[in-house]
Amino acid sequence: MDSLWMDGRTFPALDRWESGAHADSVVVGAGLTGLVTALLLARAGMSVTVLEAHHVGALTTGRSTAKLSLLQGGVLSSIRRHFSARVADAYVAANREGQAWMLRYLAENDVPVQRRDAFTFARTAEGVADLDREFEVARAAGLDVERTDEPGLPFRTHGALRLADQAQLDPIGVVLALTADLRARGVRIVERTRVRDVNDEAPATVVTDRGEMTADQIVLATGTPILDRGLYFAKLVPLRSYAAAYRVPGDAVPRGMYLSIDAPTRSLRTAEADGRTCLLVGGNGHIVGRAESAKARLDELDAWTRESFPGAERTHWWSAQDYRSVNRVPFVGSLPRGRGRIFVATGYGKWGMTNAVAAALTLSAEILGGQLPWADTLHHRVTHPATVGAGARFNAGVVREDLKGWVHAETARPEEPAEGQGTIRRRSTGPVAVSRVDGACRAVSAVCTHLGGIVTWNDAERTWDCPLHGSRFRPDGARIEGPATEDLAAEPG
């Protein structure tokens, strides 16, 4: 059965396959990771094609419970068991960044979102110890988590954690907004096209069941990478879980977002359907292939819901498949032995709403030559000062007309860039973006801390724009809009 999100939705007719075509970047997979990555690259001026084996949002994204939350059950304490506090802090920073980006995008595109408190609760007395550990790690990582004995549920619990002002959304609503945005920017989205292989020569060849095309960079945003390189099939745990939507009489539906820290998992939130508020219940997850009967799992979840919420009437049910990394930290970055042309993102452990956007920001920054300090920590990347990003290779030479003011990393001195060109050079105080505007060579410090100096000059608005993150600055460095970042420092020139 379709998920609540996909039932009755109309999806637009998209683009036709063209054998032999070339794009700066090909993104494989039209879920949240793939679509946001494509958007970030397109904002920076790249030509992008998205290839999807089914239709946009068809798999994990369209079957998610879609909680945009930094409180994620027992994730942080699990990470802390494998890594230092520094990595746990970086995970929170990445998810905070993903959440903030998504909330801004929803607001800018009039996509509905509901702000809710998030709760992690213990169903059993044995779960209290796990709740205690999660509380300690979350507080140490900077989350304003509170303990509570009254999470507002109609069944017995043994305490809970509460994080205020999180969010929930309709994932297909987001997918459709991203799809419209991408097509307006000239991004091609080709559905019903399965990628079979990638040849990583320059340019890389993408082999599909309908023909071949080429690209300078390939992003595999397919849940689990479709290529064996990197052995991700051995480093990921495939997880199947179940969800159902219910009409519940009266006002018995709890208003927060809930997840149990102990098994069998119970996940709850509200959603709007046919003008009514319904209850979404998820859980009873298991490793793929290790359950005797999926129907029995769903039946047990259904029986628990009817007992906990008398009169509940099921309207939809579905299952989803997610992948968890063995060390609980997502794998994001260059594919091993991919020659710096193939990138992957996987292993979100059922928390894709925030992690997918964080992964898209990470991949886009890496492809465009930027830096994200939390990504370097989280994904154990070491960036050499002399490293030239793929964005520099993409944009070497004269900038295309639609990229006027583009800046990138290279070692050449930037005192005399030609009209419409831009570069970045490094010095002791950090990257300096330079662009010739109106015949004058202007230099400013790195615009956006999240991107390490990737900026464009917006000639119409007379501003420096961070194309991936949405920040905007005047030539003197004053921030006009977007997230709080380090201010620019104007330089002579």
Side-chain angles (χ1 to χ4, degrees), residues 362-429:
T362 300
L363 294 172
S364 301
E366 188 166 346
I367 289 170
L368 296 168
Q371 292 178 343
L372 294 157
W374 48 259
D376 293 344
T377 298
L378 196 59
H379 307 299
H380 309 289
R381 295 197 321 218
V382 178
T383 304
H384 190 277
T387 297
V388 177
R393 292 192 296 273
F394 154 71
N395 198 46
V398 177
V399 179
R400 297 198 308 245
E401 182 61 27
D402 59 342
L403 292 180
K404 182 176 180 179
W406 171 269
V407 295
H408 59 84
E410 68 177 15
T411 57
R413 293 181 62 80
E415 279 78 359
E416 293 298 332
E419 178 68 28
Q421 285 186 308
T423 61
I424 280 184
R425 63 182 171 88
R426 293 189 176 276
R427 56 173 188 160
S428 60
T429 56

Side-chain angles (χ1 to χ4, degrees), residues 10 20 40 45 48 55-56 59 77 105 107 109 132-133 149 155 165 237 283 306-307 347 359 363 398 408 410 434 458:
T10 300
L40 299 179
V48 183
H55 65 77
V56 292
L59 297 179
S77 51
Y105 190 82
N109 291 274
D132 291 340
R133 282 190 289 270
D149 293 326
F155 49 84
D165 201 28
V237 180
R306 294 177 190 275
E307 178 183 351
L363 294 172
V398 177
H408 59 84
E410 68 177 15
V434 180
N458 185 327

Side-chain angles (χ1 to χ4, degrees), residues 14 45 92 109 158 177 179 193 199 201 219 245 305 310 317 328 334 362 427 448 461 479 485 488:
L14 299 177
V92 170
N109 291 274
H158 293 261
T179 299
T193 303
N199 181 327
E201 298 293 335
V219 175
T305 303
W317 64 269
R328 277 34 176 205
S334 298
T362 300
R427 56 173 188 160
C448 188
E461 301 292 335
R479 182 167 59 91
T485 59
L488 298 174

Side-chain angles (χ1 to χ4, degrees), residues 70-268:
L70 303 182
L71 185 64
Q72 301 177 355
V75 169
L76 287 179
S77 51
S78 293
I79 291 174
R80 191 65 183 86
R81 282 196 291 269
H82 291 82
F83 295 103
S84 68
R86 185 166 173 259
V87 174
D89 292 349
Y91 180 86
V92 170
N95 279 255
R96 197 188 299 276
E97 193 68 35
Q99 183 191 63
W101 189 99
M102 179 56 73
L103 289 172
R104 284 193 305 276
Y105 190 82
L106 297 173
E108 291 167 359
N109 291 274
D110 297 322
V111 179
V113 61
Q114 299 85 46
R115 303 306 290 258
R116 297 286 189 270
D117 292 352
F119 295 86
T120 296
F121 64 94
R123 297 184 63 205
T124 65
E126 291 76 16
V128 174
D130 292 333
L131 208 63
D132 291 340
R133 282 190 289 270
E134 189 69 15
F135 176 74
E136 293 171 1
V137 176
R139 294 286 291 188
L143 292 180
D144 192 16
V145 177
E146 303 173 349
R147 295 296 298 262
T148 179
D149 293 326
E150 298 295 337
L153 292 168
F155 49 84
R156 186 185 179 191
T157 64
H158 293 261
L161 308 181
R162 171 181 172 270
L163 183 61
D165 201 28
Q166 303 304 290
Q168 60 185 30
L169 50 87
D170 171 353
I172 293 299
V174 178
V175 164
L176 293 175
L178 287 164
T179 299
D181 195 351
L182 287 166
R183 301 198 77 210
R185 296 173 184 272
V187 174
R188 302 185 69 252
I189 305 175
V190 184
E191 299 175 319
R192 316 295 177 186
T193 303
R194 185 176 298 277
V195 175
R196 299 292 186 182
D197 197 6
V198 176
N199 181 327
D200 58 19
E201 298 293 335
T205 300
V206 182
V207 181
T208 80
D209 55 4
R210 302 173 69 181
E212 298 181 357
M213 69 175 296
T214 59
D216 298 322
Q217 291 92 31
I218 315 293
V219 175
L220 303 181
T222 52
T224 182
I226 61 172
L227 302 180
D228 288 343
R229 279 170 280 183
L231 303 179
Y232 292 104
F233 60 85
K235 296 186 286 188
L236 293 168
V237 180
L239 303 172
R240 179 61 59 91
S241 58
Y242 305 90
Y246 294 85
R247 295 192 186 98
V248 179
D251 57 356
V253 178
R255 304 301 296 179
M257 304 185 301
Y258 300 87
L259 181 66
S260 65
I261 202 166
D262 38 12
T265 302
R266 294 291 181 264
S267 169
L268 301 101

